[in-house]
Amino acid sequence: MSTLPNGWEMVVGLEVHTELKTQTKLFCGCANAFGSEPNTNICPVCLGLPGSLPVLNEKAVEFAIRIGTALNCVIQGSSFHRKNYFYPDQPKDYQISQYDIPINGIGFLDLPDGTKVGIERAHLEEDTGKTTHVGGSGRIHGSDESLVDYNRAGVPLVEIVSAPDIRSAEQARGYAAELRAILIASGASDGRMEEGSMRVDANVSVRKGSDAPFGTRCEIKNLNSLRSLQRAVDFEALRQIDLLEAGESITQETRHWDEDAGRTQTMRSKEEANDYRYFPEPDLVPINPTQAFIDEIARSLPAMPAQRRVELIAQLGGDPTQAQRDQLMAAVELNVDSFITGAIHAGVTPAIALARTANELAALGDEIFSLPLDDYVALLKLEDAGALSATQSKAVLADLVAAGGGDPAALAKQRGFEKLDDGSLDGILDEIIAANPDEWRRYCEGDDKLTGFFTGKVMAATKGQADGKAVNAALRTRKG
Amino acid sequence: MSENPTSLSEEDVRHVARLARLTLSDDEVGRFTEQLRGVLDLAADLEALNLDGIEPTAHPSELSNVLRTDEVVASLNQDAVFAAAPKIIDHRFSVPKIVGDAP
């Protein structure tokens, strides 16, 4: 936990925009797709052409309510407003958003560290188009232009606004990580920060002590990873403290996080840009979800990350080590814990299921979600039974994920990972015992600590191909 | 914008013009201030009504929950999309350089 100098305290609130996993946009039937050719998923509605009328996507409403329910929000009747601004990322010159009455009101999020962060609202709005800025030395025609692709304009978003309850950069990261896990669990979003489907802006201010009034805040944009978020919040709080301690004041503004330079920079001053002239959207009628619909969504929500952590601890049995707790946190955060529970249910030793999933499987990227659970379990069972060493198991796992599944025993054979037959193990043991007579004598006299010594020698001699259990058994037999 | 519409000032008009990226001459500012004041005064008549106990109306029609199913329909083809665009580069609309990022 980093601490700020001289009794300063940071106050942070996060605004998280998450794209919803609908097939179509919020107000028209254009595809909601990432990576299409520019300006192919657009129509008169998302271009705001005269005579076109928006019609609300029912799936987006359901997803928004799923998110609100998962965040313990008050679900309420709501309506849409136009947010007017002059910028080419919206061809209509306004964004349809929710203003005074959002679909999800006050809620809260419990963090794994035991703290609670309030949710002020989680409202529906449409995404903007994507602008690419081309400078004098830019790659296109060397001209000073901005290029706009409207495929993303109109894609449904939920903006989740936290209360200014966050007091450290670690907590900000923890909030964003838990929120992402909840968004993924709710089925409403894929939570991919690197693709921009989840975007985090941080409002940061500082004050002297926890009773002082809030200071002037700055909003930080361009936080593309949890790591960037944590670094940027820490940097910004210290920047503000330096200014205040030098007798200067903070200007309320939007700042851009430069990941390479590790600092925030002025993007634009806020005062004037903020005059959005909200007014009710006349082309859309209110949303009044029925209680039955809200209840149905609450019933259909799967287990949330907090509950999944509790269940995992129970499945592991006993008292998990700190390393295991860390593994468990990471597994739930990365949404790979179903592999652990699946493997444990299938009879794999819990510690192996946990370690292999949190450490190795989770590091192999999104492709792991196409890996059939049965194939994964089959691999862990080979390791569990001693047919593969841990090192071999990890190598086969990478092959298995790359191939999108398959028979782990066959893949192990392809790599030449054959279980050593007893005959060759005997020969190797003969040599090792002959080379280490003192250790062997002490082992035979009852010094069990030397089991590890001999097992290690065998593993080194066989490049990890020997089965640890078989080696132990052979050692015991020879000792007599 | 001022609280009391009748007090709409020339400065308010210049502010709105700036938000809309309009350049107005001094003559135009004077003329539009007068005209906008007239519009706002008309709307201000509503302030005289006693609305105690009346729920705000979100929409003049009494409809709610007008929804469509989440099914993809064909979008416009690019020729139609770009038909009225002054300049296209790499299948994108080209606009004068914007400094900074989206609001």
Side-chain angles (χ1 to χ4, degrees):
Chain A
M1 192 81 172
S2 68
T3 46
L4 298 177
N6 306 331
W8 288 98
E9 178 183 79
M10 71 169 84
V11 175
V12 181
L14 297 184
E15 292 172 16
V16 174
H17 288 84
T18 188
E19 286 180 354
L20 302 180
K21 284 199 311 193
T22 54
Q23 297 300 308
T24 66
K25 293 187 178 181
L26 187 51
F27 300 115
C28 63
C30 291
N32 169 13
F34 180 80
S36 302
E37 184 176 332
N39 292 305
T40 50
N41 300 330
I42 56 181
C43 75
V45 174
C46 40
L47 287 178
L49 300 186
S52 63
L53 282 173
V55 186
L56 183 59
N57 182 342
E58 64 178 5
K59 195 71 183 171
V61 173
E62 182 199 322
F63 280 154
I65 296 176
R66 290 176 83 84
I67 291 172
T69 306
L71 296 174
N72 311 292
C73 290
V74 177
I75 318 293
Q76 55 198 13
S78 63
S79 57
F80 288 97
H81 271 64
R82 290 187 183 179
K83 176 181 180 178
N84 299 278
Y85 64 93
F86 195 89
Y87 200 80
D89 66 0
Q90 271 296 358
K92 303 196 291 277
D93 275 351
Y94 59 85
Q95 176 189 32
I96 303 177
S97 182
Q98 296 195 295
Y99 184 52
D100 51 351
I101 325 171
I103 186 165
N104 301 302
I106 297 283
F108 64 89
L109 177 52
D110 283 319
L111 301 191
D113 67 6
T115 59
K116 184 189 288 278
V117 174
I119 304 292
E120 293 193 338
R121 56 191 283 149
H123 67 257
L124 266 171
E125 65 183 26
E126 56 179 344
D127 206 345
T128 59
K130 199 166 171 44
T131 48
T132 312
H133 306 295
V134 187
S137 59
R139 56 191 171 83
I140 304 169
H141 297 257
S143 54
D144 277 341
E145 297 174 291
S146 291
L147 306 182
V148 195
D149 168 13
Y150 288 122
N151 279 348
R152 206 181 62 184
V155 162
L157 291 178
V158 164
E159 178 178 350
I160 301 140
V161 182
S162 88
D165 289 348
I166 295 166
R167 293 290 176 269
S168 71
E170 291 86 346
Q171 195 188 8
R173 186 203 178 281
Y175 168 87
E178 186 71 359
L179 179 58
R180 184 176 65 177
I182 287 173
L183 292 173
I184 294 169
S186 74
S189 170
D190 60 22
R192 287 186 187 143
M193 291 184 79
E194 66 286 355
E195 283 182 9
S197 73
M198 174 175 151
R199 309 195 280 273
V200 183
D201 301 332
N203 285 299
V204 179
S205 65
V206 296
R207 59 178 173 178
K208 202 83 181 241
S210 52
D211 295 326
F214 290 162
T216 303
R217 70 174 191 270
C218 291
E219 180 177 6
I220 310 170
K221 288 186 178 287
N222 192 41
L223 305 172
N224 298 324
S225 67
L226 296 177
R227 185 178 126 86
S228 297
L229 167 65
Q230 183 168 343
R231 289 179 71 206
V233 166
D234 254 337
F235 174 89
E236 179 61 18
L238 291 170
R239 184 189 73 88
Q240 293 183 13
I241 290 167
D242 282 350
L243 280 175
L244 293 171
E245 293 198 336
E248 295 176 50
S249 59
I250 309 296
T251 309
Q252 181 175 339
E253 62 183 0
T254 302
R255 299 180 65 84
H256 180 269
W257 170 249
D258 183 336
E259 176 70 28
D260 294 333
R263 59 193 161 101
T264 63
Q265 287 163 325
T266 299
M267 207 155 95
R268 61 168 185 269
S269 170
K270 194 123 192 185
E271 302 99 296
E272 216 177 333
N274 235 351
D275 195 345
Y276 291 131
R277 293 152 290 146
Y278 280 96
F279 66 85
E281 165 58 83
D283 292 340
L284 289 163
V285 299
I287 322 169
N288 285 312
T290 62
Q291 193 57 46
F293 185 58
I294 295 170
D295 292 346
E296 175 54 33
I297 286 176
R299 265 195 304 278
S300 69
L301 273 184
M304 289 294 125
Q307 187 189 340
R308 281 153 47 198
R309 282 191 291 268
V310 169
E311 286 169 2
L312 259 185
I313 289 180
Q315 283 185 336
L316 284 172
D319 193 14
T321 63
Q322 187 55 48
Q324 286 182 324
R325 285 182 185 276
D326 292 345
Q327 288 169 353
L328 191 147
M329 289 286 300
V332 173
E333 185 177 313
L334 298 168
N335 200 35
V336 295
D337 49 313
S338 59
F339 285 101
I340 303 174
T341 33
I344 294 175
H345 279 148
V348 175
T349 302
I352 288 182
L354 176 62
R356 213 52 74 234
T357 306
N359 297 343
E360 279 76 41
L361 184 68
L364 292 172
D366 280 347
E367 286 170 38
I368 64 170
F369 296 108
S370 343
L371 174 64
L373 177 65
D374 287 350
D375 295 344
Y376 184 56
V377 167
L379 171 66
L380 294 190
K381 284 192 163 176
L382 288 176
E383 181 183 348
D384 215 359
L388 288 177
S389 70
T391 313
Q392 291 172 333
S393 175
K394 292 171 193 175
V396 174
L397 177 58
D399 295 347
L400 199 57
V401 170
D407 175 11
L411 288 170
K413 200 167 180 184
Q414 274 176 26
R415 275 192 173 255
F417 293 161
E418 302 260 10
K419 208 176 144 183
L420 230 51
D421 63 62
D422 292 347
S424 40
L425 179 59
D426 270 341
I428 290 164
L429 269 178
D430 286 343
E431 289 172 24
I432 291 171
I433 290 169
N436 301 281
D438 286 351
E439 284 82 1
W440 180 248
R441 180 180 47 73
R442 276 158 47 209
Y443 174 71
C444 291
E445 287 166 6
D447 188 348
D448 282 336
K449 287 199 291 293
L450 284 160
T451 309
F453 171 81
F454 284 106
T455 310
K457 290 277 180 200
V458 173
M459 288 299 172
T462 60
K463 297 191 175 62
Q465 297 219 19
D467 170 12
K469 286 182 190 145
V471 175
N472 283 352
L475 286 169
R476 277 195 302 275
T477 310
R478 282 174 182 246
K479 187 169 77 170
Chain B
M1 195 78 68
S2 315
E3 285 294 307
N4 177 358
T6 53
S7 73
L8 179 86
S9 68
E10 293 201 347
E11 194 38 53
D12 290 330
V13 171
R14 288 185 206 278
H15 176 66
V16 171
R18 204 155 45 235
L19 289 172
R21 304 302 193 269
L22 295 174
T23 307
L24 302 183
S25 67
D26 288 349
D27 274 0
E28 286 170 321
V29 170
R31 195 160 76 245
F32 290 140
T33 305
E34 205 171 302
Q35 290 178 354
L36 275 172
R37 210 177 264 164
V39 172
L40 292 171
D41 285 352
L42 190 67
D45 287 351
L46 295 173
E47 300 286 335
L49 299 175
N50 180 1
L51 301 175
D52 288 351
I54 296 175
E55 286 273 301
T57 307
H59 198 274
S61 80
E62 294 194 354
L63 293 169
S64 66
N65 301 332
V66 176
L67 302 167
R68 65 179 173 82
T69 53
D70 185 26
E71 283 167 11
V72 176
V73 297
S75 301
L76 292 172
N77 69 50
Q78 276 196 342
D79 292 342
V81 167
F82 293 142
K87 194 172 180 189
I88 300 300
I89 294 176
D90 271 8
H91 307 288
R92 294 166 174 87
F93 293 89
S94 173
V95 298
K97 174 83 175 166
I98 303 144
V99 179
D101 211 2

